[in-house]
Amino acid sequence: MDYNKMKTLFSTSKKVVLTSHRGPDGDALGSTLGLSKVLKALGHEVEIVLPDAFPDFIAWMPGADEVVIFSEQKDKAAKLINEAEVLFALDYNAPSRIGEVEQYFVAAEGFKIMIDHHINPQEFCDEYISQPEISSTSQLVYEFLEKMAWEDYLSIDGMECLYAGIVTDTGSFRFRSVDVGTHRVASIFMESGMNNAKVHQLLFDNNQASRLRLLGYCLNEKLEIFPENQSAFISLTQEELESFHCSKGDTDGFVNYALSLKGINLAVYFVEQNGLVKLSTRSIGDLAANRICSDLFNGGGHMNAAGGTFEGNLEEAKDYFKKNVFLNLEQYFNK
Ligand code: 5GP
Ligand code: MN
């Protein structure tokens, strides 16, 4: 990243569009909202375009109601991207991660800046911050603000968004990706007066009863444990999801319950989605969930948290996983 070039670029008011990945999570929404607030405070015209809707548990983030959802407002989203002078790609590093937005983003003529923490970035932007070792894009956004000397423009609202991104991407500061920099950023936010307990509460103490009942059902009836393979599955059909009046974002985090089992180092959540099966995998230690997903499920992610898709039904997906992963588990341990 050439920061002098960045400072020149933003020295006059720009039309900016911030984008993030499909199935937006806390880091996707938090990093875009956090950065958008600073850019607005600096006098730029800023919009956020996300490919599809985000789950309820992050909808409290200040400004979330102003996000343009491509799947709901295609023409507006396409026009914004087309007319943007600067575009940000936050929390993804391959254009395929933004679904149908890809064609508009790639064709757009604005200056493109990626800030991301996934491995193997593709080249589709003009400037890059790509640091897979960092906990979250939200942490990287704050470090970017510091490098630009913009951190004083970050409001408490903006801090809450970035903090929520950090919290959700680190399992509340639990994962290996947490470093002193993660806690440094959190402490700066707290010193500035951000109420950290409030953010945790908004994120995790806001469950609908339907979500908890679905979780109970998953743990009671849908959890399959394979101790000899250090693995556990949870799987759900579309009908099961709907019978609990839940939608896909409501199951965020379920996979971590499977991973929390003693002796389990690999957990997979399978869910039917639009005729496909979507997988969420989580692992502990040197077991590379991202290699499993990129080798076998047309996906990717981080070493300990990755995802992908499978063409077929749930049973076929689970069988395929058992055949191709369980029988080759050794191969997926990073040396
Ligand atoms: P989740 O399991 O929460 O959907 O995703 C965990 C991580 O895996 C995400 O941070 C994302 O990086 C990655 N991921 C999830 N689904 C996909 C996918 O379909 N393709 C790729 N390349 N990465 C994915
Ligand atoms: Mn992230």
Side-chain angles (χ1 to χ4, degrees):
M1 172 85 50
D2 179 342
Y3 288 96
N4 287 326
K5 193 164 151 191
M6 286 294 123
K7 285 176 186 164
T8 310
L9 177 69
F10 288 105
S11 62
T12 53
S13 172
K14 290 285 179 309
K15 281 188 182 175
V16 186
V17 168
L18 303 143
T19 65
S20 193
H21 57 80
R22 226 173 10 184
D25 57 9
D27 193 30
L29 185 63
S31 61
T32 49
L33 280 170
L35 180 55
S36 77
K37 290 177 192 309
V38 171
L39 291 168
K40 278 184 189 167
L42 287 160
H44 302 289
E45 235 180 274
V46 190
E47 297 277 355
I48 296 174
V49 173
L50 297 177
D52 49 18
F54 44 81
D56 268 353
F57 82 102
I58 51 176
W60 57 267
M61 286 191 207
D65 49 343
E66 289 162 29
V67 171
V68 177
I69 306 290
F70 176 85
S71 61
E72 295 163 12
Q73 291 184 281
K74 287 194 185 180
D75 291 345
K76 181 175 180 187
K79 188 163 183 281
L80 287 171
I81 291 172
N82 199 25
E83 291 175 356
E85 293 166 280
V86 182
L87 296 122
F88 278 90
L90 297 184
D91 203 36
Y92 68 98
N93 66 6
S96 62
R97 293 281 290 136
I98 53 178
E100 271 188 75
V101 180
E102 171 174 3
Q103 52 179 309
Y104 301 99
F105 190 95
V106 170
E109 286 178 2
F111 191 85
K112 295 170 190 165
I113 304 165
M114 177 205 287
I115 303 181
D116 179 67
H117 70 136
H118 296 90
I119 57 166
N120 304 328
Q122 290 185 14
E123 287 194 18
F124 64 102
C125 293
D126 300 297
E127 283 286 343
Y128 298 86
I129 294 175
S130 171
Q131 290 186 250
E133 71 283 5
I134 297 302
S135 75
S136 53
T137 299
S138 295
Q139 180 179 338
L140 286 175
V141 163
Y142 188 74
E143 292 170 1
F144 171 72
L145 298 180
E146 291 182 314
K147 295 243 172 57
M148 297 293 286
W150 287 349
E151 67 270 37
D152 290 347
Y153 291 87
L154 183 66
S155 61
I156 299 281
D157 278 0
M159 289 178 201
E160 287 180 356
C161 296
L162 294 181
Y163 186 78
I166 293 172
V167 168
T168 51
D169 254 30
T170 60
S172 305
F173 299 95
R174 287 200 307 135
F175 299 157
R176 277 214 294 205
S177 58
V178 172
D179 61 6
V180 291
T182 318
H183 285 289
R184 184 184 70 87
V185 172
S187 86
I188 291 171
F189 290 175
M190 287 174 67
E191 234 163 39
S192 310
M194 185 205 68
N195 184 341
N196 61 317
K198 174 182 140 190
V199 175
H200 287 269
Q201 215 165 27
L202 286 165
L203 285 170
F204 304 120
D205 298 340
N206 253 330
N207 278 306
Q208 299 288 342
S210 55
R211 178 176 188 269
L212 285 199
R213 292 192 198 286
L214 177 61
L215 173 62
Y217 172 71
C218 285
L219 298 181
N220 209 22
E221 303 196 24
K222 305 296 300 196
L223 178 65
E224 298 172 78
I225 306 171
F226 309 98
E228 66 283 10
N229 304 108
Q230 309 164 37
S231 302
F233 292 171
I234 293 175
S235 58
L236 274 185
T237 64
Q238 195 70 44
E239 293 85 65
E240 286 172 316
L241 200 58
E242 283 165 14
S243 72
F244 281 85
H245 307 288
C246 283
S247 54
K248 82 180 185 247
D250 295 323
T251 59
D252 274 12
F254 284 14
V255 66
N256 294 317
Y257 288 90
L259 193 66
S260 73
L261 283 161
K262 186 172 181 178
I264 296 303
N265 290 321
L266 179 62
V268 192
Y269 169 72
F270 301 83
V271 66
E272 279 178 3
Q273 216 175 82
N274 312 322
L276 294 172
V277 175
K278 163 93 181 101
L279 279 81
S280 273
T281 64
R282 299 290 185 271
S283 67
I284 290 175
D286 295 328
L287 189 47
N290 52 357
R291 269 202 293 127
I292 293 175
C293 290
S294 59
D295 280 6
L296 302 168
F297 295 101
N298 195 26
H302 311 280
M303 178 153 99
N304 296 130
T309 49
F310 177 83
E311 288 182 32
N313 65 30
L314 272 183
E315 287 314 309
E316 289 164 346
K318 289 195 277 185
D319 283 344
Y320 180 81
F321 197 99
K322 288 181 199 166
K323 251 188 219 119
N324 290 282
V325 182
F326 287 3
L327 297 180
N328 298 306
L329 204 56
E330 271 312 303
Q331 163 190 336
Y332 288 107
F333 279 92
N334 284 348
K335 302 282 179 298

